[in-house]
Amino acid sequence: MLFCIQELCMSLLLVRKLFIIFFSCLGWGSQSSKVHIHHSTWLHFPGHNLRWILTFILLFVLVCEIAEGIVSDGVSDSRHLHLYMPAGMAFLAAITSVVYYHNIETSNFPKLLIALLFYWTLAFITKTIKFVKFCDNGVGFSQLRFCLTGLLVVLYGMLLAVEINVIRVRRYVFFKTPKEVKPPEDLQDLGVRFLQPFVNLLSKGTYWWMNTFIKTAHKKPIDLKTIGKLPIAMRAVTNYIRLNEAFEAQKNKRSSSPQGSRSIWRALCCAFGRPLLLSSTFRILADLLGFAGPLCISGIVHNVGKGNNTIRPQIKILGVFFISSQEFLSNAYVLAVLLFFALLLQRTFLQASYYVAIETGINLRGAIQTKIYNKIMQLSTSNMSMGEMTAGQICNLVAIDTNQLMWFFFLCPNLWAMPVQIIVGVLLLYYLLGISALIGAAVIIVLAPVQYFVATKLSQAQRSTLEYSNERLKKTNEMLRGIKLLKLYAWEHIFHSSVEETRQKEMTSLKSFALYTSISIFVHFILYDKTLMMMISADFSPSVAFASISLFHILVSPLFLLSSVVRSTVKALVSVQKLSEFLSSEEIGEEHDKSSELRSADNHSKYQAVPLKVVNRKRPAREDWNNYSSHMRRPISITEADDFCVKIANGFFTWTPEGPPALSNIDIRIPQGQLTMIVGQVGCGKSSLLLAILGEMQKISGNIFWSRKCASLAVSVWILRYLFCFRRYKAVIDACSLQPDIDILPHGDQTQIGERGINLSGGQRQRISVARALYQQTNVVFLDDPFSALDIHLSDHLMQEGILKMLREDKRTIVLVTHKLQYLPHADWIIAMKDGNIQREGTLKDIQKSETELFEHWKTLMNRQDQELEKETIIERKTVLERTNLRRTMYSREALLKDDEEDEEEVTESDDEDNLSSVLHQRAKMPWRACGKYLSAAGILLLPLLVLSQLLKHTVMVAIDYWLACWTSAAISEKAEPELKNCSHCSRVCDFNHSPYSKVFSILCCLGIVLCLVTSIAVEWTGLKVTKKLHSSLLNKIILAPMRFFETTPLGSILNRFSADCNTIDQHIPATLECLSRSTLLCVSALAVISYVTPMFLIALVPLAIMCYFIQKYFRVASRDLQQLDDSTQLPLLSHFSETVEGLTTIRAFRYEAKFRQKLLEYTDSNNIASLFLTAANRWLEVRMEYIGACVVLIAAVTSITSCLYSKLPSGLVGLGLTYALMVSNYLNWMVRNLADMEIQLGAVKRINGLLKTEAENYEGLLSSSQIPQNWPDRGEIQIQNLSVRYDSNLKPVLKHVNAHISPGQKIGICGRTGSGKSSFSLAFFRMVDTFEGRIIIDGIDIAKLPLQTLRSRLSIILQDPILFSGTIRFNLDPEKKCTDSMLWEALEIAQLKHVVKALPGGLDAIVTEGGENFSQGQRQLFCLARAFVRKTSIFIMDEATASIDMATENILQKVVMTAFADRTVVTIAHRVHTILNADLVIVMKRGVILEYDKPEVLLEQEDSVFASFVQADK
């Protein structure tokens, strides 16, 4: 007794001293932290993690010691405070020590650790003396207090050893020179705000460091600046290096075998296997701790049934009783506390497993994306140009397959944890139920194949849905890209039907998916009922019944997860196979430097033979990420000058190894420092020749010789989403005539360019590409048709100021592909091509002498082209006002919203604080209106069915469990009565009658099964009906929307509604809605049951409910912002991949690989940091909700035990309350998570509803179909009376008071400067623009009175930009299927394409790839001409339809138009004046008004005529 008093005094003294030191140190630390301390000073002392683990164990052992003392004191006749008071003080001292240590560590002031050294020493000595005292008095291992004291001796000794080790390593005391330690490199960068790797174990396990972040997110929206940078170990470059080293190791081990899926799996496991093993360990520990719940419930219910009587211990030493562990665990309150700690630890381990697995998956995703990008940089161009590998496939590999691997790594720990969980669960059931458990296991085993079958069918349905969804999106994308053509040709219904047809197939797959999902949930409920029925056959008690139910819930989880794990594994295997095929694809050949070059037979040759063949390496790329400089495909040397820059000898080139040569017998020389022009008809192989020189084609035979003084630059119209940032750009911009365009851009030369340069005109994109080439200081410049999208003035200026002045005068080698033959006199060397061969090579004089016929042909075309030059005073009038069309193009996407935004700015500038508070309030609110829109779309029948079925199902589930509790309680009480009355001789009379209970129970179970099926079907059917209705409404609205809508809304935004948002509504919202309703009703029913069982629980429920409310409120705001940030950072990453694939030739030519790789790292890290913060936020929520759930279990257990002991509560209801309390612990976080997910997903409904408000075009007319002649217009007479049109009611008119009369069959030419209103004039015929004054009368009918479908279907137009759709040639020419084959062949013959189509496999049924990429630009334009010829309408409009066609073909077409369409009215809008010289009438326009209107010969006779000045300028 005296010893115990001394121990208590020692503990009190130590705690007092430690508290004084702690608070003084805390005050010092807090003062210094205000001035100096930042998180960059965080240091972990040696043994940091071990110290925290030992402290946690110490706290648990001290709690057990306190509990043991209280239980021991309870069996004594008198009170003994010394049994638990010293342990209580030691508990406080241990908590104080860890807080004290944390403050010292974060302040980096180790000298104060001497206090802890002093404390651990005294504690170790004290507990050792106590342990020895127990040994001397015969206390052994059978007594719990002896074991606890021994554990404390070991723990205090280990903590003392840790403290001594800190002194040894840091030398902060007892040494003259303490060791200087710097903080981690990451934390020296103040931009790193993701602190999970650096904080202590307690903060890691509870995500305490996220508290500040979550609170800040509630006050201010989260952006990339808020989340900061990634730690170095998590950056894409670090993980890429780790993965690449693993790939190299696998390659070295298996150098003889090609790279395959197995090697990739080994590399992934080698690089990322260790954290996955840690995650699996956490998961198995969590699953094992999960079984503590059923066991504790069984013990609690069993003990309270016996009155919680602890057996009086037999051993009494030193005046007190010593209890054993068995006696200790027979106390229900002890089991409740142990259950509480087990739940805390289990949830902590589970969330740690989730976090480590997801973090590993995110790191893996970043590494694989970087690996894929490196491979893209070395891909052979032929793979993509011939359709073997499309940009879409590569983007799918990046966007889908890498995510599949990430989620597989997240689910991977289940592969090891599920078998352990099932085996342990079955063993425990066998322990509780005996042979009946084997019957239940047999049911589970029998139903497992059913689950597997359902999972397989779900996977197949999902794969089918994905295929149809991709097909639908492809058709929708084509429809949106060609929407202008569809409206002009009145083909909306055709493409609408095509998309709807694919949507119906997708809906069929979605129905299958919904059906199998319902079956899966149904099987889950059958398992539940079968388990209960299994227990009925056993001789069960409340403790056994409810422990078995809890075990069943644990066992069903892995079985339910089986389908997800199987699907994820299959997807991961497929993704790795795709990745293996991609990494093994052909790469562009690398040239060797001088030492390994193949030389020609003549050793003195001044040419350097460098084979540029494409090789199939079948192994990983050999890049080292540390060295960003890519391998040069052509070594550059300036040691000597050669006569020729490039020479090809007997070259044969192809796009595919099996295909015929695209270029044959290529023998050319490109002179050094001179201008070489490559000319020829459309499709003759000019661009292919450039690519062959650059090594982008597969070489069959021949050699390519490069001078050692050359570097190539390929230029194509390929624009990035980057800023204009030319350092020496003045001269270049003047040469490319870009300054007027820059002046009208919203932010000048700092304007952000959209993807593919979508917010620039074709001419602007082309000139920016040329400017990029002019800016580069390189020896060789390749220009591939840089004049195709430019008018004659811009072309001439670019030729004179850019190519001739800036390039040729600098003695740079220029290779120019062009159709502009008027520039041939400037060429130093000419290469003429025909049908993939070199027709002639030499100077213009050489060709004049040797090829007289070819030269005369050129001369004719050159004279025709020279007539287009307009170098008169009109050039000086090219002001900003004349660029109205360009300005409209640039501003059109923002015009509709600009006025509203300005009005909002005027209002909000006066009260920024009110605006911010309003925004924050909106962020915190649930989108109930969108939720109402979604549910109302289900209809008045499904919605009540959905609500009622959910309520009835959960009511029946509660009734089943409640009935079971009453049944077991009645059976136990009936069994106990004979024992109390000592009437064992009349046992037959006292037997309990199970029949009434079993009948009701069976009825409830059957009803529950039926309601479960009805509920799951109702949820899935509701989702299907809503998604069908929303997609159909959206498609109808979009396809009927006016053209102005597409000009002001980005195409990507519209496509996102059909892709991401529709996918969310199709697959995510129904599942989230079902999960949210289930988890919410389960939590509500559980709390109701617990409150019914123990009303005292309601008192504790209030503070817990308040905590839950604030946690979910703060979490939802942060989660939504982080989810949106995750999505928004993924889009630039995917765009970067697609842009790289499209501009791969240009990137390699410019040697920009390093810059683009660096940009990729930035995009990848931005996406990964957002994903990591989202993961951490989810873990933050789940840890807190599960801790609250553990508190619910503890309070429910304590109140139930108390009620049972003092209020005679039946033990069956105690078991029921505890079972439902465990359900709260499981489902509480899911309720909040699903609420947050639903809030984000309802944003898709909100965005789609926003588009549904779009006003459609007025397709109805004043005239009915019977009032319109069947063959209207039959003559083609057009009367334009006082016509004024504009693009929108808030924009200025583009045509002003135009009057004209076009007689039937006349050929009308319209010309004018850019922005003069020519194209607007043509669109007015189709009512594509707003006609607010005047009218157009065609064959006596005002077109404003006609239905739009009728008007547009009776006219024909050819646009400047050629548009082809994927499908067959027949479909592109005649999608309405109205023409015969002979009519189609006739149109192709007119368009000079008959020989091309006949040569294709399938003829008219030959395949056209997406966008017509398998045809040249000129051929696509000719197909569009043929399409217009097929319609055979009386009025035919050509809007600069021959811009991409060579002069010879254009000459033929002009003659065909004049003869084949002699009886039709033809309106030609031309930038090139020579195309309308033979017209019957010419209209010259300027600024929306008609300047001149007469016959061309009359206008030419007038010397002051503008048209005459156009034509006569260069004569």
Side-chain angles (χ1 to χ4, degrees), residues 604-900:
H604 300 288
S605 170
K606 57 187 175 182
Y607 301 114
Q608 183 177 355
V610 187
L612 274 167
K613 65 182 178 182
V614 175
V615 294
N616 189 355
R617 302 185 179 189
K618 298 288 184 183
R619 64 175 189 270
R622 296 183 300 171
E623 68 284 339
D624 182 1
W625 196 256
N626 289 319
N627 182 11
Y628 284 108
S629 59
S630 61
H631 297 291
M632 302 285 287
R633 295 198 308 279
R634 240 176 337 276
I636 301 174
S637 173
I638 56 173
T639 54
E640 61 182 80
D642 297 317
D643 294 339
F644 291 96
C645 175
V646 184
K647 176 183 177 182
I648 301 180
N650 195 29
F652 286 79
F653 301 91
T654 183
W655 288 113
T656 56
E658 298 81 11
L663 299 175
S664 306
N665 296 315
I666 304 299
D667 286 285
I668 61 167
R669 293 182 177 184
I670 295 177
Q672 176 76 39
Q674 296 182 14
L675 172 59
T676 300
M677 288 192 187
I678 304 175
V679 295
Q681 289 188 345
V682 171
C684 66
K686 302 183 294 297
S687 298
S688 298
L689 180 60
L690 291 189
L691 293 174
I693 295 172
L694 289 169
E696 301 286 348
M697 289 185 70
Q698 298 194 38
K699 180 160 66 72
I700 300 174
S701 62
N703 289 308
I704 301 176
F705 301 91
W706 276 86
S707 166
R708 288 180 295 171
K709 195 179 178 181
C710 294
S712 72
L713 296 174
V715 177
S716 60
V717 182
W718 172 75
I719 299 295
L720 285 170
R721 297 174 298 106
Y722 300 142
L723 303 176
F724 293 120
C725 54
F726 303 100
R727 295 173 184 169
R728 49 186 282 299
Y729 77 109
K730 264 297 178 188
V732 173
I733 281 185
D734 290 341
C736 297
S737 304
L738 280 171
Q739 193 58 51
D741 302 283
I742 291 175
D743 290 341
I744 66 171
L745 294 178
H747 303 291
D749 59 3
Q750 295 298 311
T751 297
Q752 190 81 18
I753 300 305
E755 185 179 350
R756 300 181 180 180
I758 193 170
N759 50 347
L760 299 175
S761 68
Q764 288 171 325
R765 289 198 296 269
Q766 193 139 39
R767 281 178 286 141
I768 290 172
S769 296
V770 175
R772 181 173 56 205
L774 296 181
Y775 168 72
Q776 300 294 320
Q777 298 282 349
T778 50
N779 298 326
V780 182
V781 179
F782 284 158
L783 299 170
D784 189 357
D785 202 8
F787 309 118
S788 60
L790 308 182
D791 61 31
I792 192 64
H793 312 289
L794 294 175
S795 299
D796 186 63
H797 184 76
L798 177 60
M799 185 69 192
Q800 296 294 334
E801 299 297 323
I803 297 173
L804 298 179
K805 187 175 179 180
M806 294 191 70
L807 296 180
R808 192 164 72 168
E809 289 183 6
D810 288 345
K811 300 296 182 182
R812 293 159 75 178
T813 304
I814 311 156
V815 181
L816 172 65
V817 171
T818 184
H819 291 142
K820 302 280 186 179
L821 300 182
Q822 71 265 30
Y823 299 137
L824 283 178
H826 298 297
D828 301 306
W829 194 257
I830 299 171
I831 298 173
M833 296 192 68
K834 185 177 182 180
D835 299 329
N837 294 282
I838 303 300
Q839 184 180 7
R840 190 69 176 85
E841 181 185 15
T843 63
L844 189 60
K845 289 184 178 180
D846 294 338
I847 295 173
Q848 182 179 4
K849 293 177 182 177
S850 58
E851 297 284 346
T852 309
E853 185 178 347
L854 177 62
F855 179 78
E856 289 299 325
H857 177 65
W858 283 355
K859 187 176 179 182
T860 303
L861 298 177
M862 286 161 60
N863 290 334
R864 293 282 303 274
Q865 287 183 346
D866 280 341
Q867 294 173 9
E868 300 172 30
L869 295 173
E870 305 172 22
K871 295 182 179 177
E872 68 289 337
T873 56
I874 294 179
I875 295 178
E876 298 175 3
R877 302 175 195 168
K878 190 195 296 183
T879 61
V880 175
L881 290 175
E882 290 180 309
R883 293 179 175 253
T884 305
N885 192 39
L886 294 178
R887 184 185 294 274
R888 173 165 40 81
T889 302
M890 195 64 213
Y891 282 93
S892 62
R893 300 189 180 279
E894 302 172 4
L896 289 181
L897 301 175
K898 190 172 182 63
D899 293 337
D900 294 338

Side-chain angles (χ1 to χ4, degrees), residues 142 281 408 491 608 717 722 1057 1178 1242 1304 1473:
S142 59
T281 304
F408 170 74
W491 285 349
Q608 183 177 355
V717 182
Y722 300 142
R1057 303 294 82 79
N1178 289 335
L1242 284 174
V1473 185

Side-chain angles (χ1 to χ4, degrees), residues 270-311:
C270 179
F272 301 100
R274 187 174 296 177
L276 206 59
L277 186 61
L278 178 64
S279 174
S280 301
T281 304
F282 284 150
R283 180 59 190 271
I284 291 173
L285 288 173
D287 290 342
L288 293 177
L289 283 167
F291 291 109
L295 294 176
C296 287
I297 287 177
S298 177
I300 290 171
V301 176
H302 178 74
N303 290 338
V304 296
K306 293 185 176 182
N308 199 34
N309 294 320
T310 303
I311 302 171

Side-chain angles (χ1 to χ4, degrees), residues 95 243 254 259 271 276 335 506 589 598 639 645 698 707 742 881 925 956 964 998 1061 1126 1128 1155 1233 1341 1380 1424 1494:
I95 292 178
L243 180 63
R254 302 176 176 272
Q259 175 180 297
L276 206 59
L335 289 175
E506 186 183 1
L598 299 175
T639 54
C645 175
Q698 298 194 38
S707 166
I742 291 175
L881 290 175
K925 284 178 62 179
V956 170
L964 183 63
S998 62
D1061 289 346
D1126 186 34
S1128 63
K1155 293 180 181 179
R1233 278 284 302 278
I1341 297 179
T1380 62
C1424 293
D1494 212 330

